[in-house]
Amino acid sequence: MIRLDYTQAKSFLPDPELAQGLERARDAHARLMDGSGAGSEYLGWRDLMVEPDDALLGNLQDVAAEIRQRADVFLSIGIGGSYLGAKAVIEALTPYFPTGDGPEVLFAGKDMSGAYLRELLGYLEGKSVYVNVISKSGTTLEPAIAFRFVREWMELHFDDADDRIIVTTDPERGALNELRKAHPYRKYVIPPRVGGRFSVLTPVGLLPIAVAGVDIRSLFYGAVAESERLSQLDNNSAIEYAAVRCRLLENGYSTEVLAHFEPRLSSIGGWWQQLYGESEGKGHNGLLPVSLQYSTDLHSLGQYVQDGKRNLIETFLIAEDDGGDMTVDIDSANLDGLNYLEGKSLTEINRKAYEGTARAHVQGGVPVLTLWLENITPGSIGELIYFFQHAVAVSGYMLRINPFDQPGVEAYKKEMFRLLGKP
């Protein structure tokens, strides 16, 4: 269960404004639940929670088990929502350092760096490789370029290349479906009513996550449990989160910092940035989402957060149990002056760092909210994924926009393709 504490933001919102925001958020929630809001044709991410596909989860687990047994490297090719969610969950739920248990999961097609691709192909030499290319159209420039090079490399190195390549794409249309007429690649479907940034709990994210050794069933059903909790109006943390941040936006705050003290949550912040940036950033509106890793970034951007322009709100993402159970011992010399920490765990020290940072930032004029996870496990991360998806849909409706399209993304593509001479 995701718990929201916004007591440290209340002093920045008069009670009537907060009450008005909560009422508008409840109305937005109702439009989400009955499908009457803009973009309702893209509510498939909610349908997945209502009717879980256990057969699909089982199939994904079986294919992942095969890959884990046979592969040294699993290469996921995709950009935006086709890789950010998988990367976020994998980094949150797997060890910091390689254990040799299962293949290394790598990502390509997320940029157009020739140096990265060349070094990647060199790194793959001599390794057993499986590839998953993820693209609804099959023609998105970054993954399409990467897949062209990788496919040639796979065909040169493996007689069974067609068995080692898996496509995740549109049910019927697109370049990858055309390619499968000549190459019988295994295929997973991107549900038609699910947009890219909402696709982490579909085969888009679940296959790479399962290959990494994460329990995708617990992940998925954590999201299902959160969706059931958030279907109610009472004690709905997603409604409260949307209401507070939207009212602060209307009062002149333009940037939201998502801050956390556990490095394994950094890529969750990257996924959150896309989810909120693409969903809310329309019509010259929306909070700019910025993810920071504390205490690391307190030694870089901390000065700005404390004393810079007062247009920031800050949301802390904190786990009740972060696994930091190492304890500081006594040192007779005490040259580092740390004996005052004797007996304290790193979890306790990090908790005091969070509490002190939050108090200092509030005193510096920053409204602070805190999202609490019970722990960093598949179930809790599944809860968090659904929480953010539900909350951003509510806030999008509060802002009177369609939270499920991304028209601004096409602007750079038009200019880029014109310069490249695309027909």
Side-chain angles (χ1 to χ4, degrees):
M1 177 179 179
I2 304 302
R3 180 168 60 87
L4 173 67
D5 178 0
Y6 59 95
T7 55
Q8 291 176 296
K10 284 185 175 180
S11 63
F12 299 87
L13 275 177
D15 287 344
E17 290 188 10
L18 178 57
Q20 182 192 55
L22 287 168
E23 186 60 32
R24 287 169 48 204
R26 293 187 187 100
D27 290 342
H29 166 83
R31 277 178 276 149
L32 171 63
M33 297 303 292
D34 65 19
S36 63
S40 59
E41 66 273 22
Y42 286 102
L43 290 180
W45 53 276
R46 288 205 66 252
D47 299 337
L48 296 173
M49 303 294 102
V50 177
E51 298 181 0
D53 190 339
D54 287 309
L56 175 60
L57 291 174
N59 175 268
L60 288 164
Q61 289 174 316
D62 290 343
V63 171
E66 170 202 331
I67 296 170
R68 285 177 59 79
Q69 185 176 20
R70 297 189 61 194
D72 300 314
V73 172
F74 180 79
L75 181 61
S76 178
I77 301 176
I79 195 167
S82 295
Y83 96 98
L84 284 169
K87 183 173 184 287
V89 175
I90 290 169
E91 290 191 5
L93 296 174
T94 59
Y96 280 116
F97 305 103
T99 63
D101 178 22
E104 184 179 8
V105 179
L106 300 177
F107 297 92
K110 55 188 175 52
D111 52 53
M112 292 180 284
S113 169
Y116 179 89
L117 194 56
R118 182 181 64 250
E119 291 183 24
L120 171 65
L121 296 177
Y123 179 73
L124 297 180
E125 287 290 338
K127 295 179 173 65
S128 175
V129 180
Y130 274 67
V131 174
N132 179 206
V133 57
I134 306 164
S135 175
K136 185 169 285 190
S137 68
T139 58
T140 303
L141 188 60
E142 294 89 342
I145 288 175
F147 186 50
R148 175 176 287 199
F149 282 98
V150 169
R151 182 163 59 90
E152 291 176 355
W153 187 92
M154 292 289 290
E155 291 171 352
L156 181 65
H157 287 75
F158 299 104
D159 293 336
D160 62 344
D162 284 0
D163 293 331
R164 292 170 173 266
I165 295 174
I166 301 168
V167 302
T168 306
T169 190
D170 187 86
E172 298 177 358
R173 296 177 294 181
L176 293 176
N177 281 311
E178 289 298 313
L179 189 59
R180 289 184 71 244
K181 293 177 180 179
H183 300 273
Y185 303 142
R186 281 179 282 187
K187 171 184 169 181
Y188 286 103
V189 168
I190 302 173
R193 283 167 41 84
V194 179
R197 60 187 176 274
F198 290 84
S199 67
V200 61
L201 296 175
T202 75
V204 170
L206 292 176
L207 179 59
I209 292 166
V211 171
V214 174
D215 181 355
I216 59 171
R217 195 173 292 274
S218 294
L219 176 79
F220 190 89
Y221 275 94
V224 170
E226 187 70 5
S227 74
E228 292 171 352
R229 282 189 288 268
L230 296 183
S231 66
Q232 308 300 318
L233 272 177
D234 295 334
N235 300 316
N236 189 311
S237 54
I239 289 176
E240 295 170 346
Y241 181 53
V244 173
R245 38 193 314 283
C246 285
R247 286 304 288 153
L248 288 168
L249 170 64
E250 291 162 353
N251 284 358
Y253 294 90
S254 59
T255 299
E256 180 178 12
V257 171
L258 183 71
H260 45 86
F261 283 81
E262 183 55 45
R264 67 174 68 254
L265 296 177
S266 289
S267 288
I268 292 286
W271 169 79
W272 170 85
Q273 284 185 152
Q274 187 210 11
L275 180 67
Y276 274 78
E278 282 194 354
S279 298
E280 290 186 345
K282 296 157 194 171
H284 301 171
N285 206 344
L287 286 156
L288 173 67
V290 176
S291 176
L292 296 182
Q293 164 63 53
Y294 290 167
S295 63
T296 304
D297 287 332
L298 290 175
H299 294 262
S300 59
L301 290 174
Q303 173 63 41
Y304 189 94
V305 177
Q306 185 69 45
D307 284 338
K309 190 173 181 180
R310 298 298 77 185
N311 63 344
L312 306 174
I313 73 172
E314 187 170 37
T315 300
F316 285 93
L317 182 59
I318 306 293
E320 297 277 7
D321 177 7
D322 62 7
D325 54 358
M326 295 182 68
T327 301
V328 178
D329 293 330
I330 197 77
D331 184 326
S332 58
N334 195 30
L335 295 177
D336 53 16
L338 295 180
N339 278 357
Y340 73 98
L341 297 175
E342 180 192 2
K344 290 184 171 61
S345 70
L346 291 183
T347 292
E348 183 181 358
I349 294 169
N350 248 339
R351 185 64 51 80
K352 297 307 178 185
Y354 147 68
E355 293 173 0
T357 302
R359 291 178 185 178
H361 289 176
V362 169
Q363 292 167 7
V366 178
V368 165
L369 304 87
T370 301
L371 289 170
W372 290 93
L373 293 77
E374 183 178 347
N375 46 37
I376 304 177
T377 60
S380 290
I381 295 299
E383 291 173 352
L384 184 66
I385 288 168
Y386 185 83
F387 170 85
F388 277 135
Q389 291 180 163
H390 191 107
V392 81
V394 172
S395 64
Y397 288 155
M398 288 185 70
L399 297 175
R400 298 181 176 86
I401 59 174
N402 178 352
F404 306 114
D405 64 359
Q406 53 279 337
V409 174
E410 300 304 314
Y412 91 89
K413 293 182 181 179
K414 290 179 181 178
E415 291 302 312
M416 175 180 66
F417 289 143
R418 182 181 64 80
L419 293 169
L420 288 170
K422 181 179 179 178

